[in-house]
Amino acid sequence: MQDSGTLYIVATPIGNLADITFRAVDILQHCDLIMAEDTRHSRVLLDHHDISTKMTALHEHNERARADSLVEQLRNGAKIALISDAGTPLISDPGYPLVRACRQAGVKVVPVPGPSAVITALSAAGLPTDRFMFVGFLPAKAGARESQLQNLADESATLVFYESPRRLLNTLEVMQSVFGEQRDVVVAREVTKQFETFLSGTLAEVTGQVAADSNQQRGEIVVMVHGARRDPEAVPAVAETLLKSLSEHLPLKKAAAVVAEHYGLRKNQLYQLGLSWDK
Ligand code: SAM
């Protein structure tokens, strides 16, 4: 353990209680205080590993209000561990305001690595991992979800989403219409738990499997989508969307010129694309 006051960011299991490092257990046993998202939920893990350190709640509703007093305790030498309900804190979980406040105040922040659903799911998905984009949760509103997916349509890195079971089928259907039926996808469910499942195939195939089996719409889910395969001649989807909007207000020639300049594309290619819509 560090000599000075330190905030430890400790990763905990995403399902299997044995997926925790020796170092994490040691820090959780010997620190002064554990900040947990949901203390009742974390009690199960702590009891399993004989950790009796005092625990209090730090969740998205109180984390800003609590940051100053925690920074004060840390400055006075306290050793505090931050954990979340599962996986790595701050990854689609609380903690960002506290870590930022600590860094600004010159308080030591030490990561204690371990599982995170994004890396765990990717490691066994069989999709390219040299470049990936972690998108996290899509917006809840249908329009905002679809437009975010549209903005990602040309991304060539593997896309990784966290998704709730009740939205999974709808998300796969929208992905099918935005990314195309043939794009490869992997749905990782209940990873490291009893009902761990990886479904893989094209968006059309996996959407069909999920629609046909309601068990696939339960539990915790990571959706991973193969990146766009680049056609050097293709107009990116974002440019096409902008061209469509602009051409409702401007002559097609003018709209094509504006979009071409904005995205560094050829004017004539965009103009021809615009003409093809009416055919
Ligand atoms: N901090 C966590 C991490 O490092 O992965 C993520 C927390 S986020 C609030 C919870 C989401 O992570 C779930 O809705 C699900 O999308 C994903 N997740 C967590 N555990 C999982 C598991 N065992 N299998 C599949 N997805 C999981």
Side-chain angles (χ1 to χ4, degrees):
M1 282 228 152
Q2 305 281 327
D3 294 334
S4 54
T6 304
L7 176 68
Y8 294 94
I9 308 300
V10 182
T12 58
I14 57 167
N16 187 324
L17 292 183
D19 288 337
I20 187 163
T21 66
F22 294 125
R23 182 173 169 231
V25 172
D26 182 49
I27 286 170
L28 293 175
Q29 277 171 340
H30 297 107
C31 64
D32 301 309
L33 177 68
I34 297 172
M35 307 297 306
E37 214 184 334
D38 175 344
T39 53
R40 275 195 302 180
H41 174 96
S42 292
R43 177 56 60 204
V44 179
L45 173 76
L46 300 195
D47 286 348
H48 185 83
H49 292 286
D50 289 326
I51 299 163
S52 53
T53 309
K54 189 177 152 212
M55 189 168 36
T56 62
L58 186 83
H59 41 68
E60 58 177 334
H61 304 295
N62 71 356
E63 58 177 336
R64 277 172 206 280
R66 295 221 52 191
D68 286 350
S69 81
L70 285 167
V71 167
E72 204 44 45
Q73 288 180 57
L74 288 156
R75 277 182 143 160
N76 290 331
K79 305 198 175 32
I80 299 178
L82 175 68
I83 61 174
S84 56
D85 284 355
T88 302
L90 279 85
I91 306 302
S92 296
D93 264 339
Y96 167 65
L98 177 60
V99 171
R100 192 172 163 78
C102 285
R103 292 246 169 249
Q104 280 170 346
V107 168
K108 205 169 178 89
V109 182
V110 171
V112 183
S116 185
V118 42
I119 301 296
T120 312
L122 255 184
S123 71
L127 289 172
T129 51
D130 53 336
R131 289 193 319 117
F132 64 89
M133 181 190 280
F134 175 58
V135 185
F137 289 101
L138 287 165
K141 293 211 168 126
R145 286 154 78 70
E146 184 164 346
S147 70
Q148 185 160 349
L149 289 173
Q150 254 151 10
N151 287 336
L152 294 168
D154 294 315
E155 176 54 60
S156 58
T158 297
L159 301 170
V160 186
F161 303 85
Y162 283 169
E163 191 47 287
S164 87
R166 60 198 164 80
R167 292 208 196 102
L168 175 66
L169 185 56
N170 175 263
T171 294
L172 290 172
E173 285 166 354
V174 179
M175 284 176 170
Q176 218 185 140
S177 75
V178 174
F179 298 154
E181 295 186 343
Q182 293 311 310
R183 191 85 81 94
D184 285 334
V185 63
V186 178
V187 174
R189 198 173 66 84
E190 294 290 272
V191 180
T192 77
K193 302 191 218 180
Q194 188 182 359
F195 296 109
E196 177 179 286
T197 326
F198 282 76
L199 294 179
S200 59
T202 63
L203 270 166
E205 289 164 349
V206 172
T207 306
Q209 281 174 284
V210 169
D213 178 3
S214 61
N215 281 331
Q216 300 305 328
Q217 298 168 46
R218 293 198 183 145
E220 299 201 275
I221 291 156
V222 181
V223 178
M224 293 158 284
V225 181
H226 198 296
R229 294 176 207 269
R230 284 239 163 94
D231 169 359
E233 285 301 304
V235 172
V238 274
E240 184 168 351
T241 306
L242 180 62
L243 183 65
K244 272 197 179 129
S245 310
L246 284 181
S247 60
E248 283 166 19
H249 307 285
L250 296 173
L252 181 58
K253 234 179 198 159
K254 180 82 189 149
V258 173
V259 176
E261 189 174 341
H262 194 72
Y263 287 105
L265 297 166
R266 283 182 296 115
K267 235 185 321 191
N268 190 41
Q269 185 189 17
L270 290 161
Y271 183 65
Q272 295 303 327
L273 177 67
L275 290 180
S276 74
W277 295 333
D278 300 328
K279 286 179 189 160

